[in-house]
Amino acid sequence: MSKFKNKKGTQLPEISTASLPDIVFMLLFFFMVATKMRKDTLMIKNELPFADQVEKLDNKSLIMNIYAGKPSSRYKNVGTEARIQLNDKFAEIKDIKAFILAERASKPDELVPFLITSLKVDKDTNMGLVGDIKKELREIQALKINYTTRKGMATDNLRP
C-alpha cells in the first residue's frame, strides 16, 4: 500500500459566494453610518462663538445658511478680508437678495413664512459685515434670523 495518493485527477472546490451579499451590505451600512453628509463645502474659516442659551432648530430643510468669515488657507488667493459665502461660492453683499429670493422660490408657498436665515459667522469677523448682511435681509423682509453658535459659556469667547 502506498503512503501518498496521487491527486492529479481531483479539482479544487469552488469558492462559496453565499456570504458575499452579507459582506457587501455590512460595508454599505458601515459607510452610510460613518460618512457625514455636508450640504455646503466651507471656503471660509468658521470657528463659531460660544453661547450659553442655545436652542436646537427642528426642521433643517427650512434653514438658509449664510456663512461669513476670512477665507480658509486653501482660498488665500481671494484675499484675507472677511467674505460672505452663499452655498458653495463667495458672494458680495448685493448677492444676498437674489440668494434669499431663489431659496424662497424653491420652497412650497405654504412653507415660505417659516423659512429661517441662519448666520454662521466666524467669531473674529467684524460686526460691520454682519450689520450689512442684516440690512440686506431687512430689505427683502427676511426677518427670521438665527445666529449659529457652539454651546458653552459666553466668557469662553474672550480667550484667544
Side-chain angles (χ1 to χ4, degrees):
M1 191 182 245
S2 70
K3 197 171 189 179
F4 300 103
K5 289 188 178 181
N6 190 2
K7 295 185 179 182
K8 289 183 181 178
T10 61
Q11 293 180 345
L12 292 174
E14 291 184 20
I15 298 173
S16 174
T17 59
S19 64
L20 191 60
D22 294 336
I23 294 170
V24 169
F25 284 116
M26 186 172 44
L27 286 172
L28 177 67
F29 182 73
F30 171 77
F31 286 114
M32 285 174 49
V33 170
T35 303
K36 183 177 180 183
M37 301 300 279
R38 187 173 208 133
K39 186 177 174 184
D40 299 323
T41 302
L42 284 181
M43 299 164 55
I44 61 166
K45 179 183 161 207
N46 196 359
E47 189 175 334
L48 299 173
F50 290 100
D52 55 359
Q53 297 179 6
V54 295
E55 291 181 31
K56 188 172 177 95
L57 295 176
D58 295 330
N59 195 347
K60 301 268 186 201
S61 66
L62 297 176
I63 298 173
M64 303 171 288
N65 292 316
I66 298 176
Y67 301 94
K70 293 182 180 180
S72 64
S73 58
R74 292 188 310 183
Y75 299 98
K76 289 294 182 187
N77 59 341
V78 296
T80 58
E81 194 156 326
R83 303 283 309 261
I84 298 172
Q85 179 183 340
L86 304 173
N87 289 337
D88 286 334
K89 61 181 180 179
F90 288 116
E92 300 295 325
I93 295 287
K94 60 182 172 51
D95 299 330
I96 293 174
K97 287 181 186 177
F99 169 73
I100 297 295
L101 294 174
E103 288 289 320
R104 283 180 180 169
S106 69
K107 305 289 185 204
D109 290 337
E110 60 270 4
L111 294 179
V112 171
F114 302 108
L115 291 176
I116 299 171
T117 305
S118 178
L119 298 180
K120 295 187 176 187
V121 181
D122 184 57
K123 69 178 186 176
D124 296 326
T125 302
N126 188 344
M127 282 304 291
L129 180 62
V130 176
D132 292 342
I133 293 170
K134 287 174 54 178
K135 180 182 172 195
E136 289 292 313
L137 293 173
R138 270 192 301 266
E139 288 179 11
I140 56 171
Q141 298 299 311
L143 303 177
K144 290 185 179 181
I145 298 175
N146 171 54
Y147 292 99
T148 304
T149 63
R150 292 184 288 172
K151 191 168 187 166
M153 295 302 296
T155 56
D156 293 340
N157 293 322
L158 302 175
R159 294 185 208 151

